[in-house]
Structures are given as structure tokens and as C-alpha cells.
Amino acid sequence: MITLTIDGRRVDVVEGATLLEALRSAGASVPTLCDHPGLPSRAVCRLCLVEVQGEPKPQPACCTRARAGDRVQTRTPALQAFRQANMDWLLADHPNDCQRCEVNGDCRLQRLVSENHWGDRWQARPEPSPTLPLPIAPDHSSPSIWRDLSKCVECGLCADACGEAGQQQFVIGFAQRGSDRLPVTVFDQSLSETGCISCGQCVLVCPVGALVEAPHWHTVLAALDARDRVSVVQVAPATRVAISEEFGLEPGTVSTGRLINALRQLGFDYVFDTNFAADLTIMEEGAELLARLKAQKHLPLFTSCCPGWVNWVEIHRPDLMEHLSTAKSPQQMHGVLAKRGRFARSLGAEIAAGRSEPYVVSIMPCTAKKDETLRPGMSGDVDHALTTRELAKMIRARNIAFATLPDDGRFDSPLGESTGAAQIFGASGGVMEAIARTAAHLVDGESAIAGNTVLVEWRELRGVCDGVKTADIPGIGPVAVCNGIAAAQLMLKTEAWRSAFVAIEVMACVGGCLGGGGEPKSLDPRVLHKRSRAMYALDESAPRRRSYENEGVRRLYAMDFMEPNSAAAREALHTSYAARGSKRAFLMRLLECVDRRDGAGAASMFHADGVWATASVFGELRGAAAIEAFVHEALPPRRYGPGFERHRMASAADPDDLAVILPNGEVCTFAMDLGRREGSGAPTMAIRSLRRLVI
């Protein structure tokens, strides 16, 4: 430890700490916009300058190491004047529009203005004129993340979170210099045109509203107020741990009961637990792993619960698709059960007959879950995915005093039961540990590990810091856990992983879902550790800690699916993959439009003079108008809920296979010709011709 003096107060800190860390340990503060734990300090905003005795000029506290004997001043008149001038410069180019901003109340710039009474210096932004440039248009092209560079303060945190110090995706980086410096995407493309995997780490670190999750909470509140449909909500494990931080409770405070009570006050008819489907996922993914081990094909198996990781594979490494588990994520499994399964049929004749369907919402720690709800083959099973932060906004909007709610809420049946194995899904290593707990049962058909706490807790698979963790599971073999997409990319640089492991878990965000892009923003460097401890404490206190012990899941198999990986289970609980931009991806998107009777969407995928040879009584369709009319008018009306019929790809991941299983069970295949389509924007690919081939 070393001792220094800050504003006349003696402070002891560990050697190597920065002045900013010393300030915080002393309970003092200086303004900062560009500092975030886990990312390099760049001293960009210069708001944290402090005076150190003996130094000729002020020093940035965020990247200056504390020294024994330092005498530091943080609020001298000169420093205050500099900060005010610096803020004047920032505010002169920032929209004064807080009331309509998605981060209103959770913006570091707004907080600094309020705390320092700088509001009277913040003028309304002038209207564009011949001498003033037009504001930069917001980018709302991504289903998960919105960008508005007019609000950017050029702190650089998004570039670091996406770059070498973070996810190593390099989708966002700085262009230009000086006053024109801005964080832009590769070739200044819209976010949807880049290799963005929707992980949301850029959103998580943005101190203002330049990057936000695509906001859907307004739509959900309106739907709840309208009460036109039965409403169902599912809650992810990481959300019940992190939501507490949004309402002033200590990080790591578990608020499951409070959360359930708040959701009921918001107006949801049924409150279910995503963990029910997490247990189901383990049964399906575990059985799939055993089948691959028996056949010695497509090993190692990669987990498929993280949509950011799945996006990365489809965008950057489609050669790995055959290794992905075909099991849907817990969110999507739960969605299909709630909207199209036995529960939905119990909600009344209208839903059972396919004339209506429940309104299904998920509360997730992840921005990529928004992307996942729109994936072909799964679209519509979850109407909206909200982040933990969005839920907090809904609760505040309805003036619900969350912190004072009783913590006695209970999930509804039949989709609310879960085990400890499902609880730990939200932590890096949790999925693989859950598989390890159930492995012996899946191999032997009996619980060979009952009562054996050594095989219940696989601590070598835990941790929010280690890049790669490994273990050897009896009866299964060596497995690995990649903590973050950067760790996965490093592992995949060589071919050693192919022979070293039989299964690999990948979570795109460090810490797993606990560090997801939709979680509460925190400057606590140990927040992931605190959340992780709380999650594993939930597991330890659970009466059942292995997925196969979930009685609700057992009943589901007995009534609907027979056994894991059965034909019925694969139809409902598994999915397919396609390389982005491939013919297979185009076909999957088109079939999704057909299933949902989205004629305009289907027509938009073709060239203006595109041809669709249907090999049916409808003959050959030429041009967008004919294709749109065919989908809207010629096909039978769409059915909803349990009656919804969907095309499925015959193979899970074969990149060249265009064979399709029709809703009636027949199989056909397609031949497709793609071509570039010129337009007002960047050229895009579209379908020139599509021919259905009867097998």
C-alpha cells in the first residue's frame, strides 16, 4: 500500500492504482466520460484533470499512477474553469433533447450537467442552415442496436469495446482527426451491412445515447395497456440478479420475487421462467452431443444458446456451422412452448383454433436476443425481447417502487419450474457445467451422480476472467469454455480444438449473460464477480440441481416429445443455420415471409423482373406485384398460435442444401439464381429466379 493526500485527506491505495481509483476509494470524485473498467484509459475527455504538487500542469486522473506522498487537488478554481470550458465545447455540439432520448436518466453527460449546474450553459441546438451542416442521420438498420452519432462525445469507448481491448470485432473505429473525429463503422456502412454480431458491448459502455439497444419497451407497454391478447413474459436468469442495480440495490442482490411482482403490476397475465427452457435445452443439447459422440461426426459440438456467437459463425466462419448444436436457445424454446404448445392451446378456443395467439415477451440481458427473435424458422415465437435496462424503464414509467416490493413473487405453471443447473446458464461456463451434471444420466439412463457434490459442482468451468476453461467429464470427454468471442477467435486460429475437445461452450460476452450488452451499466470493476456469486448461490440453494430432475420437463417429454432429440422434439425445439448472404439464407428468409404471409417482404427479395417458378397450379410468377399477390391472396390464410404452419430446412447446416420440408411433411428442393441489384444506396443481392423442384 502507498499513502497520498487528496484534497487534504489521507488515502491509502494499492501500489499501481491510478489517481482516479485513489479518488474513488477516498469517496471523492471528478467528472469523466471516457473511463470504463476493463478498457484502456485514453484520457480523451480531459474532464478528470487534477493538480499534483510538483507537476507543471494538470494530470489526467484516469491514466496517472498514484505515487506515495502525492498531494492532489481536484477542485481548484483553475480546474473548475477548465472543466466548464470543456463542457461548453461538448454541449455546443450535443442535442439538448434529453426528454426524448432513450438514455434519459442513465446518461453520464446529463448527470454531469445536473451535478455541476451547467444546464444554463446548454443552448438549444440551432436548426440546420446553409452555413451549418445537416445533422448525421441516425442508423436504425440493425434489429438490435441503434446509432445516433449526433449524440457522440468521441470518448472512444465503443471502439475499444469492439476492438483489440474488447470483442476484437473491429466493426467500429475512428475516422478523421481533430474536430471531425468520429467513431464510424467499416467503410461507413450501416450497422446491418457490417460484420456486427449484435453483442451490444458498444452499447454497454457508451456514456450517452449515441448507441442504444433498439427500443421496444414502448411497444410492449402499449400492448399491455390495450389488453387485446393474453400476455406472457419469460425472465432470463441473469436479469433477476442484475435488475436490482437499476433501483439502487447492491450488485449481486437477487430480486426474483420483486421482479415477478413488478411484471404482474405491469399487466402481464402469465410470468414464466426462461430457466424451464434452459433445463429443456440441456436435455436436447446433451442428447445431441451423445448422438454425435456415438456417430463420431461433427465433433466437437459448439453450444448454440448465445445468438451473438451464432451470428459470428454465420457471418465469419460458416465452415463451423455443422459443429453448432441445432438446439434452439432457451428463449426460443420457451417462446415456441408458450405460443404454439400445449399451454397455448389451453388459453381458449380462439387460440386453439389458430385464429389468435398469445403475446409473448422475453426479458433478456442481451441485445442479440432482439436479433434472434427475427431469425428465419423462429421469427414470431417471441414477439419482443427486452433488455434488463428496458424493463427498468418500464417499471419506472409505471411508477412502481421496485426496491420496496415484497420479494415473494412466484413463477406461474406450467412453464415456471427450473433447477439449479438452469440458474447458472447466465454465467460463463454455466451451460457446460449443466451438461456435465446431466452427463451420467444421459449416458446411463439413471442418475449415476446423485448425491455426489463433486460431480455437481464443476468449479474449473467457472470464472468471469479466464479466457478459456477446460475440464474432463466422465462418460463424455474433454470440454472447453470460451469466455467471450475474443477468446473463441483465439482458440479457432489453429486447428488444435478439433481433436482436443468433444464440446465447446462459447458466450460472446465476457462473463456470459451476466456481462451481456443489455445489462445495467456499471463502473464497478468487480460487478461481474458480484453477479456471478449471486447466481451460483441461487444454484446452491436450489432443491434440484440437475436438469433431468425438472418434473415439468419430464411431463413435457411424456406428453409431447417422448424423449430428447425425438422427431417431435427436433421439429419444435431445433433450428437450422445458413451463411449470411448465401442462397440458403435467402431461401430461409423467403420461406419465413411466405409462412407469415408477408407478401411485400417476399417481393422485396426479388429483382423487379424476378421469376418464381412454383411447379404448381400457380405456374410462373413474374415481377414483384405478382409475387406479392401470390403470397397475400393465393395462399391459404395464415393460422396463428398452435395452428401456425412453418417450412423447415431438411438439413441443419449443409451450406449448399436447399431441400425443404413442407408443412404437410413432403420434401422438395429449389434452384436459385442471385444477382446484384442497383439502387439509390449500396448495391444489394436479390433473387433473379427461383425454381421449385419436386423430389
Side-chain angles (χ1 to χ4, degrees), residues 191-316:
L191 207 56
S192 64
E193 296 173 316
T194 68
C196 175
I197 63 173
S198 298
C199 69
Q201 290 301 301
C202 57
V203 178
L204 191 62
V205 301
C206 180
V208 290
L211 288 156
V212 299
E213 63 266 56
H216 296 130
W217 64 279
H218 311 274
T219 304
V220 173
L221 272 181
L224 292 176
D225 290 344
R227 303 199 65 80
D228 292 333
R229 294 156 63 186
V230 175
S231 57
V232 176
V233 64
Q234 55 166 300
V235 183
T239 295
R240 68 203 64 184
V241 173
I243 188 71
S244 310
E245 299 164 34
E246 288 281 346
F247 298 97
L249 300 174
E250 283 295 314
T253 302
V254 178
S255 291
T256 308
R258 280 184 286 267
L259 178 56
I260 293 170
N261 287 331
L263 290 167
R264 295 199 194 285
Q265 288 194 32
L266 286 171
F268 284 102
D269 297 311
Y270 292 90
V271 182
F272 289 141
D273 194 350
T274 306
N275 285 348
F276 177 91
D279 280 328
L280 189 60
T281 298
I282 285 302
M283 300 304 293
E284 289 298 315
E285 207 163 69
E288 182 184 7
L289 173 58
L290 291 185
R292 293 194 188 194
L293 284 169
K294 184 177 180 180
Q296 284 297 296
K297 290 182 65 176
H298 307 320
L299 292 171
L301 176 142
F302 283 110
T303 59
S304 56
C305 298
C306 173
W309 157 240
V310 172
N311 286 341
W312 187 87
V313 171
E314 289 187 330
I315 294 170
H316 301 292

Side-chain angles (χ1 to χ4, degrees), residues 573-595:
L573 306 177
H574 291 250
T575 188
S576 301
Y577 307 107
R580 301 294 170 90
S582 67
K583 291 181 179 180
R584 181 179 167 93
F586 267 82
L587 180 60
M588 290 171 67
R589 286 172 49 206
L590 176 64
L591 294 175
E592 186 68 41
C593 291
V594 171
D595 292 339

